[in-house]
Amino acid sequence: MTVRVFLVDDHELFLSGVRGELADRDRFDVAGWATDVDDAVAAIRRLVPDIVLVDVHMPGGGGLSVIRNVTETHPDIRFLALSVSDAPEDVIAMIRAGARGYVTKTIAGDELADALARTADGDAVFSPRLAGFVLDAFAGTLPQPDDPELDQLTPREREVLRQIARGHTYKQVARRLSISVKTVETHVSAVLRKLQLSSRHELARWATDRRIV
Amino acid sequence: MTVRVFLVDDHELFLSGVRGELADRDRFDVAGWATDVDDAVAAIRRLVPDIVLVDVHMPGGGGLSVIRNVTETHPDIRFLALSVSDAPEDVIAMIRAGARGYVTKTIAGDELADALARTADGDAVFSPRLAGFVLDAFAGTLPQPDDPELDQLTPREREVLRQIARGHTYKQVARRLSISVKTVETHVSAVLRKLQLSSRHELARWATDRRIV
DNA sequence: GGTCGGATCAGGGTGATCCCCGGTTGTCGG
DNA sequence: CCGACAACCGGGGATCACCCTGATCCGACC
């Protein structure tokens, strides 16, 4: 089964280079290409390719705009980001926008074809140096899922903690739990003391850091 | 350059299968193996391999424990998770713990060798069906990176907003920005009004939700 | 029966938060 | 020049957050 590829890059020469490279391979069928964001979005919506190879840095919003616009209407189309930049911000931004992979332009033709094929199959492809960034950033979203400190808290205190972390006032928590404001204060004080914190703001940060909300 | 591999799996048979598979390949040197968590952690710390192939489901905490314990003392050692399970929870948990890749046990010997080599090189390797989970989960950590509401705020208000979101009191913000507490109050009031919020706690939540901190 | 912890509530106090009103300065464009 | 706006500062007051002491009730445990 051939993979229908769409190319987006503001460099004509690079574009034709990729076209030439893919033309020799039976696996790929270059459905179309574009050199700016608006043309790309329109053409992709019309042609509905299997995968889009998109440059990151382009006038008019860059590859980010292309991915966001297209995925709104066609969430099934896959994106492989291609860039001269190996800056972590760029990589993270593209992945968060929905790109299924990210390779740098130093890549060889064979490798690019391999990356496209793998991405089309549902695999995730990153240039070696980039894979670390993505996984580090992802791992960083949850530092420690275990928490011996939470064991110090009674069930009721944990319940109050959750409510406070959500930003509710003492009064609101009291109503939700059908207890008095004074009881809420007692519980919050106990939690703050046990966790060595000093304010409900620190408490909220503490809770969101370990995803208790 | 050979890659020194350590194997962790509670199934002896599977373990010897992998050893046999890798023994034929010059690229790999199986530095050691273990069938439970404690032995694995001790041996890995002693041998310091380049990469650890670790089973996800094992008595004694599973691969998660191995990764967590080892990375505390040896953050440079890479991990490739290997499992019969393709459940999103397992995949996400392992990646968050620090695994550089995740493949299922349906994988062929050649593919496993390829995955190990790629992971050792710094690449990220996932079984095709799994890559989607990881990237979806990662993309899900940031729902809307655009924020039309932020445009309503003046630069100074945004600055104050960041400080408040970090949990600082008005007094602290005033000192940091070298302005009076009253001015901070004014800015905060403006921000709350413009963003249709009613307390600094909601504001903190609002800010952390869209990663402004 | 006594003791202990968990959960509930109250009074009283200090500081922080938030809103209302007011004001000054400076900049920018009509 | 004048209006609009951003940034700055103040008084006063209502409410909220946090801490302290002290209290009652209940169930578990020795």
Side-chain angles (χ1 to χ4, degrees):
Chain A
M1 195 187 90
T2 65
V3 178
R4 297 180 63 245
V5 185
F6 191 94
L7 312 176
V8 186
D9 198 311
D10 59 328
H11 299 90
E12 294 274 3
L13 278 177
F14 192 86
L15 211 50
S16 65
V18 175
R19 282 207 307 275
E21 194 69 45
L22 295 183
D24 301 337
R25 302 167 200 267
D26 295 341
R27 181 80 203 271
F28 299 104
D29 169 24
V30 177
W33 59 88
T35 57
D36 69 77
V37 172
D38 293 339
D39 286 355
V41 173
I44 293 169
R45 286 202 173 123
R46 186 160 38 83
L47 297 170
V48 191
D50 296 313
I51 184 167
V52 176
L53 182 69
V54 58
D55 190 22
V56 175
H57 294 287
M58 282 193 302
L64 224 52
S65 304
V66 179
I67 297 181
R68 285 191 190 142
N69 282 313
V70 173
T71 46
E72 272 181 19
T73 56
H74 297 79
D76 292 337
I77 297 179
R78 296 206 165 97
F79 291 89
L80 178 60
L82 180 71
S83 174
V84 290
S85 156
D86 59 354
E89 313 85 71
D90 290 332
V91 182
I92 303 296
M94 295 300 281
I95 296 304
R96 278 186 165 151
R100 287 297 194 198
Y102 191 113
V103 294
T104 57
K105 286 190 175 177
T106 57
I107 196 170
D110 288 352
E111 291 172 326
L112 176 59
D114 182 51
L116 273 172
R118 293 173 68 105
T119 308
D121 287 343
D123 209 338
V125 179
F126 298 93
S127 291
R129 289 178 49 203
L130 274 46
F133 297 151
V134 178
L135 294 187
D136 285 347
F138 186 61
T141 61
L142 187 63
Q144 59 258 41
D146 55 335
D147 26 48
E149 315 208 53
L150 248 188
D151 295 347
Q152 307 173 6
L153 304 183
T154 68
R156 197 55 162 177
E157 285 167 352
R158 278 194 281 267
E159 178 64 31
V160 173
L161 160 61
R162 269 203 302 280
Q163 299 289 328
I164 292 297
R166 281 178 197 165
H168 299 306
T169 67
Y170 288 4
K171 195 182 292 181
Q172 289 171 324
V173 176
R175 256 199 299 273
R176 281 163 177 263
L177 301 183
S178 301
I179 56 181
S180 87
V181 174
K182 279 299 179 181
T183 307
V184 177
E185 290 184 21
T186 305
H187 289 316
V188 172
S189 287
V191 171
L192 291 178
R193 183 169 29 79
K194 288 180 180 177
L195 299 182
Q196 307 265 309
L197 301 174
S198 58
S199 75
R200 62 166 295 158
H201 318 307
E202 294 179 20
L203 185 60
R205 280 187 60 80
W206 185 91
T208 51
D209 279 352
R210 44 214 84 191
R211 304 287 186 282
I212 295 179
V213 285
Chain B
M1 196 187 90
T2 65
V3 177
R4 297 180 62 245
V5 185
F6 191 95
L7 312 176
V8 186
D9 197 311
D10 58 328
H11 299 90
E12 295 274 3
L13 278 178
F14 192 86
L15 210 49
S16 64
V18 174
R19 282 207 308 276
E21 194 69 43
L22 295 183
D24 302 337
R25 302 168 201 267
D26 294 342
R27 180 81 202 270
F28 299 103
D29 167 25
V30 176
W33 59 87
T35 56
D36 68 78
V37 172
D38 293 338
D39 286 355
V41 173
I44 292 169
R45 286 202 173 124
R46 185 160 39 81
L47 298 169
V48 191
D50 297 313
I51 184 168
V52 176
L53 181 69
V54 57
D55 190 22
V56 175
H57 294 286
M58 281 192 304
L64 223 52
S65 303
V66 178
I67 296 181
R68 285 192 190 138
N69 281 315
V70 173
T71 46
E72 272 180 18
T73 55
H74 296 79
D76 293 336
I77 297 178
R78 297 207 163 96
F79 291 89
L80 178 60
L82 179 71
S83 174
V84 290
S85 156
D86 60 355
E89 313 86 70
D90 290 332
V91 182
I92 304 295
M94 294 301 280
I95 297 303
R96 280 187 164 149
R100 288 294 195 197
Y102 191 114
V103 293
T104 57
K105 286 191 175 177
T106 57
I107 196 170
D110 288 351
E111 291 173 325
L112 176 59
D114 181 51
L116 273 171
R118 292 173 68 106
T119 307
D121 286 342
D123 209 340
V125 179
F126 299 94
S127 291
R129 288 179 48 202
L130 274 45
F133 297 151
V134 177
L135 294 188
D136 285 347
F138 186 61
T141 62
L142 188 62
Q144 59 260 44
D146 54 335
D147 26 45
E149 313 210 53
L150 252 188
D151 296 347
Q152 307 173 9
L153 305 183
T154 69
R156 199 55 162 177
E157 285 167 354
R158 278 192 282 268
E159 179 62 31
V160 173
L161 161 60
R162 268 202 304 280
Q163 298 289 329
I164 293 297
R166 280 177 197 166
H168 299 307
T169 67
Y170 288 3
K171 198 180 290 182
Q172 289 171 323
V173 175
R175 259 200 296 274
R176 281 163 176 265
L177 301 183
S178 301
I179 57 181
S180 87
V181 175
K182 276 298 179 178
T183 306
V184 177
E185 290 184 20
T186 305
H187 289 316
V188 171
S189 286
V191 171
L192 291 179
R193 184 171 27 81
K194 288 180 179 176
L195 299 182
Q196 308 266 312
L197 301 173
S198 57
S199 76
R200 63 162 294 156
H201 318 307
E202 293 180 19
L203 185 59
R205 273 191 63 77
W206 186 91
T208 50
D209 280 351
R210 45 213 82 190
R211 306 287 190 278
I212 294 179
V213 283

